[in-house]
């Protein structure tokens, strides 16, 4: 088996393990499915370039997510937009709405959650998205964001309580 | 009373991420592979050419070094007296030279004396070192260490 097919196999494996999660994370982070696709492509290109480093990486998942996060930040910087503009919350809410599936067929629930998530501060939204939809532990999220576990835990708690209050305000 | 955090966690657990459209993976990895191929500066063909060129350079430098060395030896034999001595020409010609020029015999003798003296000095130095080492051993035996 030659080197190229080996690296292709590795990329295939990596996609099966993290591809969908990364795509979803990037879609919400960049508020655009098209941009997420472009950035995901960059991420996999980087993974292919760094194939030699793979044997030295202990925790694959945080590494891959950190790579995606950095790539997303670079993309936003190129667009001169480090954060998602709060005024674009409805557009982000639409993107979140389209990227989620709900187990029970209550559409209003999904809409209100999408809107509430879009209104959360960026750093809290990131933690909640990574925890619930990409199924990372708080420790892994800390490694992805380059933060301490305490900071991530407090962002998670504040995020949940803010989300709750936003959802309740919507109900009222 | 329900813990608000747990309540939110169970609420959020009802949602899942949507799966990307079919063919998304193949499309994405295909584009990545295409870009990788474009990025590769050293293609296998270029690598083969580079290796062949490198081998040619090594062969040329080796041959050049060998030719130069042989040439230098021949030229030195013509121009340099030291090279002539090393090559054994002088040794062969010395008896006939001594017969022709008797004054050189004295010079050769003094050279031989000097050589012998230096050998004697070396031997004396060696003996002294051996004596010192013997003494050291005796001392160690006496001390029982």
């Amino acid at each position: 088996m030659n080197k190229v097919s080996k690296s292709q196999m590795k990329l295939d494996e990596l996609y099966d393990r993290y591809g969908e999660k990364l795509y979803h994370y990037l879609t919400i982070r960049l508020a655009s499915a098209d941009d997420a696709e472009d950035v995901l492509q960059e991420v996999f290109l980087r993974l292919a370039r760094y194939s030699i480093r793979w044997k030295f990486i202990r925790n694959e998942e945080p590494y891959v997510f950190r790579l995606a996060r950095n790539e997303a930040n670079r993309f936003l910087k190129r667009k001169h937009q480090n954060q998602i503009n709060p005024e674009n919350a409805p557009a982000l809410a639409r993107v979140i709405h389209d990227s989620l599936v709900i187990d029970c067929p209550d559409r209003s629930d999904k809409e209100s959650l999408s809107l509430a998530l879009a209104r959360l501060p960026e750093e809290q939204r990131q933690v909640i998205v990574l925890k619930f939809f990409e199924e990372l532990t708080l420790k892994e999220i800390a490694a992805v964001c380059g933060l301490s576990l305490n900071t991530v835990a407090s962002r998670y708690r504040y995020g949940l309580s803010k989300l709750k209050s936003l959802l309740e305000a919507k109900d009222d | 009373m329900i813990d608000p955090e747990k309540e939110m966690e169970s609420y959020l657990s009802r949602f899942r991420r949507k799966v990307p459209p079919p063919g998304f993976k193949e499309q994405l990895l295909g584009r990545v592979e295409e870009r990788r191929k474009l990025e590769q500066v050293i293609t296998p063909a270029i690598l083969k050419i580079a290796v062949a060129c490198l081998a040619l350079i090594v062969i040329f430098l080796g041959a050049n070094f060998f030719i130069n060395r042989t040439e230098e030896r021949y030229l030195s034999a013509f121009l340099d007296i030291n090279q002539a001595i090393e090559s054994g020409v002088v040794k062969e010609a010395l008896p006939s030279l001594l017969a022709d020029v008797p004054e050189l015999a004295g010079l050769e003798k003094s050279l031989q004396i000097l050589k012998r003296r230096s050998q004697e000095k070396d031997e004396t130095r060696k003996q002294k070192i051996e004596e010192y080492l013997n003494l050291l051993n005796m001392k160690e035996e006496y001390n029982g260490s």
Side-chain angles (χ1 to χ4, degrees):
Chain A
M1 194 176 288
N2 63 28
K3 204 181 168 186
V4 178
S5 66
K6 248 187 187 176
S7 74
Q8 270 174 339
M9 240 176 68
K10 183 72 190 168
L11 277 191
D12 221 65
E13 259 176 51
L14 285 172
Y15 183 89
D16 290 341
R17 261 182 271 163
Y18 313 115
E20 288 179 8
K21 286 182 180 183
L22 288 172
Y23 179 60
H24 185 256
Y25 165 68
L26 288 170
T27 305
I28 296 179
R29 177 76 183 93
L30 303 168
S32 155
D34 291 337
D35 289 348
E37 204 176 324
D38 290 344
V39 172
L40 190 62
Q41 197 179 311
E42 283 303 318
V43 171
F44 273 87
L45 196 65
R46 271 180 196 274
L47 287 172
R49 279 188 209 137
Y50 301 162
S51 58
I52 206 155
R53 293 186 197 171
W54 277 109
K55 50 187 159 193
F56 304 110
I57 294 162
R58 278 189 222 154
N59 302 320
E60 228 176 47
E61 196 163 16
Y63 177 80
V64 172
F65 269 91
R66 194 174 174 120
L67 209 71
R69 181 180 171 272
N70 292 344
E71 202 54 52
N73 287 348
R74 267 194 287 271
F75 181 85
L76 290 172
K77 210 172 180 182
R78 275 202 300 272
K79 283 177 83 176
H80 306 290
Q81 183 189 341
N82 285 334
Q83 298 279 321
I84 299 296
N85 192 345
E87 286 168 16
N88 288 345
L92 177 60
R94 265 198 305 279
V95 172
I96 295 172
H97 182 272
D98 293 343
S99 75
L100 291 178
V101 177
I102 187 165
D103 283 340
C104 62
D106 188 351
R107 288 185 65 191
S108 65
D109 247 14
K110 199 167 120 180
E111 270 162 28
S112 46
L113 175 72
S114 307
L115 209 60
L117 271 174
R119 283 180 181 156
L120 272 184
E122 176 64 42
E123 60 270 12
Q124 291 173 6
R125 182 171 53 243
Q126 263 200 60
V127 173
I128 286 173
V129 166
L130 284 169
K131 176 86 173 74
F132 282 99
F133 306 120
E134 323 323 341
E135 295 142 21
L136 262 69
T137 61
L138 288 182
K139 203 177 165 188
E140 285 171 335
I141 297 169
V144 170
C145 301
L147 298 167
S148 72
L149 188 58
N150 286 339
T151 312
V152 172
S154 69
R155 280 185 187 180
Y156 173 66
R157 272 198 306 276
Y158 284 125
L160 281 185
S161 82
K162 180 115 197 237
L163 198 66
K164 192 172 186 303
S165 60
L166 282 167
L167 284 167
E168 280 167 357
K170 177 82 172 58
D171 290 342
D172 297 338
Chain B
M1 195 184 152
I2 309 164
D3 180 6
E5 211 171 280
K6 294 268 179 242
E7 193 189 349
M8 276 311 292
E9 280 175 354
S10 77
Y11 170 77
L12 284 168
S13 65
R14 289 158 58 205
F15 297 90
R16 283 177 290 112
R17 60 173 180 272
K18 209 185 226 173
V19 177
F24 179 81
K25 176 188 167 184
E26 289 72 23
Q27 199 186 338
L28 182 99
L29 293 183
R31 269 185 290 169
V32 168
E33 203 47 45
E34 268 173 36
R35 281 188 60 190
R36 263 195 87 195
K37 276 179 189 163
L38 283 174
E39 263 186 8
Q40 275 182 333
V41 180
I42 300 175
T43 60
I46 292 175
L47 191 71
K48 277 177 196 166
I49 293 166
V51 168
C53 287
L54 202 70
L56 280 174
I57 289 167
V58 168
I59 290 167
F60 172 77
L61 288 176
N64 190 39
F65 171 75
F66 183 74
I67 291 165
N68 277 352
R69 204 179 60 170
T70 318
E71 203 173 355
E72 196 182 302
R73 204 186 293 160
Y74 279 112
L75 285 173
S76 302
F78 278 122
L79 305 171
D80 191 2
I81 192 70
N82 288 333
Q83 193 73 26
I85 292 165
E86 276 170 26
S87 64
V89 174
V90 173
K91 214 174 190 178
E92 282 167 21
L94 195 64
S96 59
L97 203 69
L98 284 173
D100 291 344
V101 191
E103 286 83 10
L104 279 176
L107 192 67
E108 208 213 346
K109 258 185 194 170
S110 54
L111 275 172
Q112 278 172 355
I113 289 163
L114 278 172
K115 214 183 225 177
R116 209 181 306 137
R117 276 190 186 166
S118 107
Q119 278 173 356
E120 277 169 7
K121 263 188 187 172
D122 282 348
E123 273 168 23
T124 324
R125 208 173 297 143
K126 268 184 202 168
Q127 269 180 354
K128 274 184 183 171
I129 290 167
E130 273 171 18
E131 275 168 17
Y132 173 73
L133 288 172
N134 281 337
L135 275 171
L136 212 65
N137 283 338
M138 277 169 70
K139 197 181 169 188
E140 277 177 4
E141 275 171 27
Y142 178 74
N143 288 335
S145 58

